Amino acid sequence: MIIKTATAAFLAILTSFTFLLFSPTPKSSYHSLFISDSLSSNTSISRHLHTLTRRPHVAGTPANAAAAAYVLSIFTSSNLLSRITPYHVALTYPISRSLSLTPSPSSPPITFDLQQETYPGDPYADVAAEVLPTFHAFAKSGDVTGHVVYVNYGRVEDYETLKKMGVNVSGTIVLARYGEIYRGSIVQIAYEQGAVGTLVYTDRKDYGGGGGGRWFPEEKWLPPSGVQVGTVYNGIGDPTTPGWASSEECERLSDEEVEKGGDLTLIPSLPISGADGETILRAIGGQVANDDWQGSGDAPTYRVGPGPGVVHLSYAGKQVIEQIENVIGVIEGEEEPDRFVILGNHRDAWTFGAVDPNSGTAALLEIAQRLGKLQEKGWKPRRTIILCNWDAEEYGLVSLSPSVTISILYAPGFWASATPQLDELLKQATQQVKDPDNSSQTLYQAWIGSSSSPTIGRLGSGESDFAAFVQYIGIPSADMAFGKGYPVYHSMYDDFVWMEKFGDPFFHRHVAVASLWGLIALWLADAEFVPFDYTSYALELQKYMKDLEVEISDKNINLTPLFKSIEELKKAATIINNQRREIEQNEGWPSIWKKDHFKVRELNDRLMMAERAFTDQDGLFGRSWYKHLIYGPSRNDDYGSKSLPGVDEAIEKAKRLNTAESWKFVQHEVWRVARVVRRAAKVINGDLT
């Protein structure tokens, strides 16, 4: 008996010693290696971006297919299980367009050439002819003539200002400057106000450096001939296949059915340059526009019209079914292969796309290569990591499945947006990465500046890669970048030269974002407990409620149900955090073989599924694709992010109508939000998973 006991004790000691001697490298060591200088390379990122932007590569073109093949080659060489997944989607291209201006009845017409100009020494002059003629994707074909009215940024409030001035836009062609709302919203609002056509230009005040006379390639500003192209589609995904995948021989809606769907604009539109916009502005008379509607100091005085200038706009486009290609790279998880962490960025561009989107794609390829090197050293993720390079995003998120993070990089100043349960993760990760513009501090220190904590935006916009993830499915997501807004956006001048001279000359910001993006992915993939904290979500909702309470304090709207549900969410978040800590504290040597792995997985499921509980199958009123009731785009601006969008829209309508029925609908929307918040609390508590 004594011998047996001694032998058992010896075996236990030997087993422990062997476990310690041959225990695998801690995941944290691999994470530190991932962000180390030994694995990062601004040279390789620069090379990726240069390769991706050699030619214009609009969705559906051979050049974009070649870019997809390059991404696939990097994924494959980095030891990712890689493939190209094709789809066949509806895309539009311009056939013809023309624009002329008759400044006055006695003046000869001016015909605009609608060309973006190359410059002496332009290294891309030989492929400039491959840039598509300037156009709006999914624009209505048509031929219209009318007096011109200047409508500032084309917002609803701008038309309200015009009405107060006694200006009627019905039957006119409106001239709007880009910069405050989504271009599709500009055209849609113009149609609703009675306009017959829309011209959208880029004002020197916003994109040309204020009229200083220097622009790209000497300075970062958009040249006078530069045009910002883009889509005016107000929906999400292929308009001919709403709700199902666009395969080669799938069911499709007819053109008439698509038009009746309400997401296509119904009047012709065209993007034009700042120079052409100013020429038209000189032909507009009438009242002088307000000071905040004026241009830069040396610009002409802006008047609102109508006329006397008359514009003739003609546009013809074609809709075709083209093949697009998503590139997918997978590293299968070792312990939870059925749980996915997805990193995504789109590849297609309106022209060369150095900033948008391929600064993000170059960073994605850098991450792939670093992950490949980690695999060579023995690292395997706990959960599956999927790298996705989407196609046809620019047309309206046509091919997008959801993605966890995206990034574009072009100026100092880091910013991030996320669903709130990721706030703490973002803060912790930025404390591990150096500020690329000041190596003496962390990215977190640069982010917060002189404040005590960083400002984290929310993912309400309907026109970015994360939209399908957050607003349709309800999956925790984040979006991050350096810089906000850049002058050559969606123009022919968004090329490698601009990036190398003005955006990120040494590609240090690219390296920093690759480090941060990849580190967050590693933490999400490798952490035993998914690092979500719903306390942040509850606190964020409480902030929204304070604002809402003030806004409708005199309208007899009962907010108690929503207050109670938020309190339930806060309690649930506290409970699950305590449960996680309790399990972690019990993970000592004595319990290593009896640890309940099922309990860990079940807790993680609750954390992962809670975001989905904030969605509602009926979606926002009149916009059923948007299922998320906490975050969504503004009805009159797909770029705009709204908290509690359904409640917000109902309040706007009720203020306008001021009827008992309209305020009753506000109460209904409050109840809807209260129900999804309560459902999220139940999911976190384990009552609904």
Side-chain angles (χ1 to χ4, degrees):
M1 179 68 73
I2 295 175
I3 295 175
K4 288 183 179 178
T5 304
T7 303
F10 174 77
L11 287 174
I13 294 170
L14 180 62
T15 302
S16 299
F17 177 78
T18 304
F19 183 85
L20 289 170
L21 187 63
F22 297 105
S23 61
T25 304
K27 299 283 190 183
S28 59
S29 297
Y30 292 116
H31 301 170
S32 298
L33 179 61
F34 180 87
I35 62 175
S36 69
D37 292 341
S38 64
L39 287 195
S40 61
S41 172
N42 57 343
T43 301
S44 66
I45 291 185
S46 171
R47 184 170 61 251
H48 292 322
L49 187 64
H50 186 266
T51 301
L52 290 163
T53 58
R54 284 174 179 166
R55 296 167 61 193
H57 50 286
V58 175
T61 63
N64 201 37
Y70 178 74
V71 172
L72 180 69
S73 70
I74 300 301
F75 281 1
T76 302
S77 64
S78 302
N79 198 29
L80 276 65
L81 298 173
S82 306
R83 69 180 187 275
I84 286 180
T85 301
Y87 294 94
H88 294 79
V89 302
L91 304 175
T92 69
Y93 303 101
I95 298 174
S96 65
R97 76 258 198 279
S98 65
L99 181 67
S100 63
L101 166 71
T102 303
S104 69
S106 60
S107 303
I110 299 170
T111 300
F112 299 99
D113 66 12
L114 305 176
Q115 297 292 322
Q116 299 187 83
E117 299 172 357
T118 59
Y119 56 88
D122 184 350
Y124 296 101
D126 61 328
V127 292
E130 296 179 25
V131 175
L132 288 182
T134 53
F135 79 118
H136 280 152
F138 291 107
K140 175 79 171 177
S141 294
D143 191 294
V144 293
T145 302
H147 287 101
V148 190
V149 174
Y150 171 55
V151 296
N152 196 25
Y153 291 107
R155 302 164 295 187
V156 170
E157 55 263 41
D158 293 326
Y159 287 96
E160 291 172 352
T161 298
L162 289 172
K163 286 178 182 177
K164 291 176 182 177
M165 297 173 70
V167 177
N168 180 9
V169 303
S170 182
T172 69
I173 293 176
V174 300
L175 176 68
R177 55 181 174 179
Y178 185 83
E180 290 293 328
I181 64 173
Y182 169 58
R183 72 188 70 78
S185 300
I186 293 175
V187 181
Q188 179 63 28
I189 294 169
Y191 166 76
E192 292 170 354
Q193 296 293 327
V196 297
T198 307
L199 300 173
V200 183
Y201 80 103
T202 43
D203 198 293
R204 278 192 292 158
K205 183 179 180 180
D206 301 312
Y207 294 89
R214 291 172 64 85
W215 47 78
F216 183 72
E218 283 76 29
E219 300 287 348
K220 68 179 182 179
W221 304 107
L222 183 70
S225 70
V227 178
Q228 182 206 113
V229 301
T231 187
V232 291
Y233 177 43
N234 288 306
I236 299 289
D238 184 342
T240 69
T241 58
W244 61 90
S246 300
S247 60
E248 190 168 9
E249 297 181 353
C250 68
E251 176 189 9
R252 295 186 184 275
L253 300 184
S254 66
D255 292 347
E256 294 76 17
E257 290 172 320
V258 170
E259 189 165 296
K260 288 179 182 178
D263 291 326
L264 297 183
T265 54
L266 299 176
I267 55 175
S269 66
L270 192 69
I272 62 173
S273 68
D276 292 348
E278 281 196 11
T279 299
I280 295 172
L281 281 161
R282 294 178 191 277
I284 299 177
Q287 301 174 65
V288 175
N290 295 341
D291 288 345
D292 59 345
W293 287 37
Q294 296 296 325
S296 55
D298 60 346
T301 299
Y302 292 2
R303 298 175 180 270
V304 296
V310 173
V311 161
H312 176 214
L313 165 64
S314 178
Y315 173 74
K318 63 177 179 178
Q319 179 173 299
V320 296
I321 304 299
E322 288 287 355
Q323 178 170 305
I324 62 170
E325 298 175 330
N326 289 345
V327 188
I328 311 296
V330 179
I331 304 176
E332 188 170 325
E334 189 174 32
E335 298 172 60
E336 299 182 71
D338 58 337
R339 299 294 188 263
F340 304 150
V341 176
I342 305 176
L343 292 79
N345 193 81
H346 76 96
R347 179 187 66 258
D348 64 300
W350 288 119
T351 60
F352 298 97
V355 175
D356 181 13
N358 287 303
S359 59
T361 299
L364 187 70
L365 296 181
E366 167 75 3
I367 291 170
Q369 291 181 315
R370 291 197 212 175
L371 293 179
K373 292 173 184 176
L374 290 189
Q375 289 185 86
E376 291 174 359
K377 296 181 180 297
W379 166 81
K380 294 181 180 179
R382 179 187 182 94
R383 302 179 186 92
T384 296
I385 295 177
I386 304 177
L387 275 59
C388 303
N389 190 228
W390 319 117
D391 202 350
E393 186 273 352
E394 294 291 5
Y395 275 85
L397 313 183
V398 169
S399 74
L400 290 183
S401 301
S403 59
V404 168
T405 53
I406 65 170
S407 58
I408 49 179
L409 318 122
Y410 43 81
F414 174 78
W415 61 266
S417 298
T419 46
Q421 73 276 71
L422 291 172
D423 286 1
E424 291 305 313
L425 183 66
L426 282 169
K427 293 175 186 177
Q428 293 169 19
T430 52
Q431 293 176 44
Q432 303 301 313
V433 177
K434 290 181 181 179
D435 174 16
D437 296 296
N438 182 356
S439 60
S440 66
Q441 64 181 1
T442 66
L443 192 53
Y444 179 80
Q445 291 170 317
W447 189 15
I448 64 173
S450 59
S451 61
S452 59
S453 63
T455 299
I456 301 176
R458 299 304 169 208
L459 301 177
S461 170
E463 291 296 325
S464 197
D465 295 30
F466 55 75
F469 229 165
V470 178
Q471 294 148 15
Y472 191 72
I473 304 175
I475 302 294
S477 306
D479 177 23
M480 52 194 169
F482 278 91
K484 278 217 168 188
Y486 65 104
V488 296
Y489 174 65
H490 280 195
S491 76
M492 189 174 78
Y493 309 102
D494 179 7
D495 60 21
F496 185 82
V497 174
W498 191 93
M499 177 63 78
E500 195 173 39
K501 291 185 70 172
F502 305 112
D504 189 12
F506 300 104
F507 290 85
H508 290 160
R509 296 177 199 128
H510 285 73
V511 170
V513 160
S515 295
L516 178 63
W517 194 6
L519 181 62
I520 290 172
L522 286 170
W523 285 355
L524 289 168
D526 286 341
E528 182 176 32
F529 292 96
V530 178
F532 294 166
D533 186 354
Y534 281 89
T535 305
S536 299
Y537 226 124
L539 294 175
E540 193 81 356
L541 288 170
Q542 287 178 336
K543 292 178 187 176
Y544 303 154
M545 288 304 298
K546 289 180 181 178
D547 295 338
L548 182 60
E549 198 172 21
V550 171
E551 185 175 11
I552 58 175
S553 58
D554 60 341
K555 300 302 180 183
N556 197 31
I557 301 297
N558 180 16
L559 297 177
T560 301
L562 191 44
F563 275 115
K564 286 184 176 179
S565 64
I566 294 171
E567 191 60 33
E568 289 177 24
L569 179 66
K570 186 177 180 181
K571 289 179 180 178
T574 301
I575 290 170
I576 199 168
N577 287 344
N578 290 337
Q579 290 172 340
R580 176 166 49 193
R581 279 191 289 270
E582 183 180 346
I583 296 173
E584 288 172 337
Q585 289 169 359
N586 291 334
E587 290 183 353
W589 281 102
S591 63
I592 194 166
W593 283 287
K594 61 182 181 181
K595 179 180 163 185
D596 190 349
H597 294 281
F598 176 78
K599 185 179 292 186
V600 174
R601 184 175 173 88
E602 187 269 342
L603 188 146
N604 281 335
D605 284 349
R606 288 188 271 148
L607 289 168
M608 289 188 290
M609 294 301 294
E611 183 71 38
R612 195 166 300 183
F614 292 120
T615 64
D616 181 278
Q617 64 178 2
D618 294 330
L620 299 180
F621 182 74
R623 297 187 292 160
S624 60
W625 189 90
Y626 297 100
K627 308 294 185 185
H628 208 286
L629 299 193
I630 309 301
Y631 298 112
S634 166
R635 178 176 288 275
N636 293 313
D637 178 18
D638 271 6
Y639 284 162
S641 176
K642 287 287 185 180
S643 55
L644 311 182
V647 175
D648 183 77
E649 289 174 19
I651 291 173
E652 281 187 16
K653 186 175 182 180
K655 285 180 176 179
R656 188 170 65 253
L657 300 177
N658 201 26
T659 62
E661 190 66 25
S662 63
W663 285 108
K664 182 179 179 182
F665 189 72
V666 173
Q667 183 67 73
H668 169 67
E669 288 295 322
V670 168
W671 274 109
R672 290 184 73 203
V673 177
R675 286 193 287 270
V676 299
V677 174
R678 180 171 289 112
R679 187 164 67 234
K682 287 181 176 294
V683 170
I684 293 172
N685 282 329
D687 297 337
L688 293 180
T689 52

